[in-house]
Amino acid sequence: MKQASENIVEIKNVSKSFKNVHAVNDISLTVKKGEYLALLGPNGAGKTTLVEMIEGLQHPDSGEILLLNSHWGRHKDFLHRAIGISLQETRFIDKLTVKETLMLFASFYSESSKRVDEIVELTGLQEKTRSYTVNLSGGQRQRLALGIALINKPGILLLDEPTTGLDPASRREIWRILLDLKEREKTTMILTTHYMEEASYLCDKIVIMHKGRILARGKLHELLSGNNSGEIIEFFPDNPEQKPDFSCLPGIRNIEWDEQSGKCKLIINEIVETLPVFMKHTHALGYTLKSLECRKMTLEDLFVEMTGRTFSENE
Ligand SMILES: Nc1ncnc2c1ncn2[C@@H]1O[C@H](COP(=O)(O)OP(=O)(O)OP(=O)(O)O)[C@@H](O)[C@H]1O
Ligand SMILES: [Mg+2]
């Protein structure tokens, strides 16, 4: 199909509600060819709802979604062949082996057993081709799900939390496969994740979602620059009951007390500006610390500052 725009994915003012929940609220975004985009957000942010609308599995209440300048309502068959998807939860047929499962999906797209062999190699499942899917480990299941998503050589890959629950080594294995694809096939991808490290390591662009809306978007360094750039002084006081007022210190942007752990986080403009005054101030108050850490602001700090929530908190 002829492409009139370099945008592979175009989402224009898309909304979707379930009763009184605005799961996706007037979202617009674009993804260019070869770009990897992360939808990052806590539970209930609307990531799955948005991705499933892009996949044609759910329909927007309003707005428009175009993939390769095509519309689910008019070019369903074309789009089914153009995309590869892996859902948040994948169920396989227990009593099919890995190879049989891949052969089954290959047959849907008239792909040959040669393609199945390529997928087995790409996903590192050579040792498991004869194993029943029910006996696979979590990481192997995720790799099989990714293999199925890739079987039709999709130009657009849509992955909903491909590494959730995996140990760091299995997660890195999935990252390796995805980076390999980016380099070799110029695949375009939208991935949802709770992991900031995943978004920043894999993706060109990051979209932070919360309560159905986009809070911030851009490359990692863009997100952590300009008005959002900052540094952090973080400490555990000896006496968590004592909470002095630090708002009088120079360069203070925000103060967060974690009631459970007793930790205090000062978001500031510059450590060199605030730290000496902070030390004098605490000394004068007789306020002693168990530990103190100074560091640059991260994506998680930015997210907590914007929403008052961590990535892993539930609604
Ligand atoms: N089929 C549905 N019926 C009713 N409410 C729904 C339905 N699907 C999603 N929701 C609600 O819409 C909101 C967004 O859900 P969604 O699954 O898109 O979030 P998410 O960002 O994918 O979360 P998670 O990180 O937990 O997967 C939530 O409040 C959820 O309860
Ligand atoms: Mg989800």
Side-chain angles (χ1 to χ4, degrees):
M1 186 152 297
K2 199 171 174 326
Q3 285 177 42
S5 154
E6 62 171 326
N7 290 327
I8 297 284
V9 181
E10 283 193 76
I11 298 167
K12 297 178 195 165
N13 305 103
V14 164
S15 295
K16 172 93 182 167
S17 295
F18 300 101
K19 293 199 178 133
N20 54 355
V21 177
H22 292 297
V24 170
N25 198 344
D26 195 21
I27 282 194
S28 299
L29 56 87
T30 57
V31 190
K32 294 193 169 60
K33 181 162 173 58
E35 218 167 45
Y36 276 14
L37 178 129
L39 295 175
L40 186 62
N43 295 131
K47 305 180 297 295
T48 295
T49 308
L50 180 59
V51 166
E52 290 191 351
M53 287 192 283
I54 302 170
E55 292 165 348
L57 298 173
Q58 299 204 50
H59 303 289
D61 296 337
S62 57
E64 190 179 36
I65 294 177
L66 289 170
L67 304 179
L68 299 163
N69 293 306
S70 307
H71 192 277
W72 277 108
R74 294 189 288 275
H75 309 107
K76 202 168 171 185
D77 290 344
F78 166 73
L79 286 178
H80 274 147
R81 291 184 174 276
I83 67 167
I85 65 179
S86 96
L87 302 177
Q88 188 162 352
E89 276 171 41
T90 311
R91 299 228 167 79
F92 305 114
I93 302 170
D94 288 353
K95 291 292 173 197
L96 282 188
T97 65
V98 166
K99 179 116 185 203
E100 287 163 349
T101 304
L102 287 168
M103 290 296 287
L104 179 68
F105 280 89
S107 72
F108 297 156
Y109 297 100
S110 309
E111 289 287 348
S112 65
S113 61
K114 185 166 162 278
R115 181 61 184 157
V116 169
D117 294 340
E118 283 169 13
I119 293 289
V120 166
E121 193 171 326
L122 185 69
T123 53
L125 287 168
Q126 294 92 332
E127 312 275 293
K128 293 286 161 189
T129 49
R130 292 187 207 183
S131 302
Y132 288 127
T133 60
V134 70
N135 295 330
L136 296 178
S137 72
Q140 289 158 353
R141 293 178 72 82
Q142 301 280 58
R143 276 188 276 149
L144 179 57
L146 181 57
I148 290 169
L150 294 174
I151 209 138
N152 55 328
K153 303 180 186 140
I156 307 172
L157 202 50
L158 299 156
L159 307 178
D160 198 353
E161 297 193 25
T163 68
T164 292
L166 299 189
D167 65 45
S170 310
R171 182 168 301 145
R172 289 202 167 265
E173 184 55 21
I174 300 249
W175 293 356
R176 181 196 60 74
I177 298 167
L178 293 175
L179 286 180
D180 196 35
L181 270 174
K182 184 175 172 56
E183 198 177 302
R184 279 203 294 185
E185 316 277 342
K186 305 279 176 282
T187 306
T188 306
M189 178 177 76
I190 298 179
L191 145 153
T192 79
T193 182
H194 293 233
Y195 302 116
M196 285 149 294
E197 197 195 351
E198 179 157 292
S200 46
Y201 183 75
L202 273 186
C203 295
D204 308 288
K205 267 202 259 171
I206 298 170
V207 169
I208 299 181
M209 281 184 74
H210 185 48
K211 294 189 176 168
R213 289 188 181 274
I214 294 179
L215 291 187
R217 68 176 90 198
K219 296 181 177 171
L220 182 66
H221 72 89
E222 290 167 352
L223 287 172
L224 293 173
S225 67
N227 287 341
N228 295 329
S229 68
E231 300 189 335
I232 306 281
I233 298 176
E234 210 167 35
F235 55 89
F236 285 92
D238 274 327
N239 178 4
E241 302 294 312
Q242 211 186 338
K243 288 187 182 147
D245 181 15
F246 291 114
S247 59
C248 55
L249 299 180
I252 290 277
R253 260 186 23 205
N254 204 6
I255 302 172
E256 292 165 14
W257 291 95
D258 182 348
E259 296 297 335
Q260 268 187 343
S261 66
K263 182 171 74 177
C264 180
K265 183 159 100 180
L266 306 177
I267 302 178
I268 56 177
N269 294 331
E270 276 187 302
I271 291 163
V272 288
E273 179 194 18
T274 311
L275 188 64
V277 191
F278 171 80
M279 298 307 283
K280 265 194 210 152
H281 189 64
T282 51
H283 185 69
L285 292 172
Y287 184 76
T288 52
L289 308 179
K290 270 197 206 126
S291 66
L292 174 76
E293 188 190 346
C294 298
R295 57 181 176 79
K296 290 244 179 255
M297 188 142 167
T298 65
L299 204 50
E300 172 133 28
D301 296 315
L302 176 65
F303 184 83
V304 176
E305 197 189 10
M306 282 177 160
T307 67
R309 290 180 52 189
T310 63
F311 276 102
S312 50
E313 267 177 61
N314 285 309
E315 288 274 5

